[in-house]
Amino acid sequence: MEHHGGRRGQAERDAVTVEIGYALCSAAFAAAVVFGAVAGPALAFDLPAAFSVLLVRAGLVIAAVLFAVRVVSVLLRFQRSGQPSQPGRTRPDS
């Protein structure tokens, strides 16, 4: 969003709000899926205690890292893409 000086319009603020919401929701979903895939066997089956703890902790760490990476990547991609100059219109090169 290339906005030099001045205030952002309502449409720009709404676009940023929607993008932040999308980044958080998609990151939470991806983190939950990865946590379930990594820690799921430890929660579903009767595994040795040390192995269960290892899987759950690994799932938490991987899910947290994935959450942060997903949020940052979505917001950076949004920042680089810019927005159409008029609502409802796309740029000719898009």
Side-chain angles (χ1 to χ4, degrees):
M1 303 202 27
E2 308 290 328
H3 198 77
H4 302 285
R7 295 170 46 147
R8 291 182 176 167
Q10 184 65 40
E12 288 177 326
R13 289 193 308 264
D14 290 347
V16 170
T17 302
V18 168
E19 198 65 23
I20 290 170
Y22 168 73
L24 292 173
C25 289
S26 67
F29 179 77
V33 168
V34 168
F35 176 78
V38 174
L43 302 173
F45 302 113
D46 188 27
L47 300 174
F51 192 60
S52 291
V53 169
L54 177 69
L55 284 177
V56 170
R57 287 183 182 169
L60 286 171
V61 169
I62 293 169
V65 169
L66 176 65
F67 181 87
V69 168
R70 177 69 181 161
V71 168
V72 169
S73 68
V74 168
L75 294 179
L76 286 177
R77 185 176 55 222
F78 175 72
Q79 182 182 15
R80 278 181 286 179
S81 71
Q83 292 296 299
S85 58
Q86 296 178 356
R89 303 248 176 126
T90 58
R91 289 199 238 153
D93 61 342
S94 62

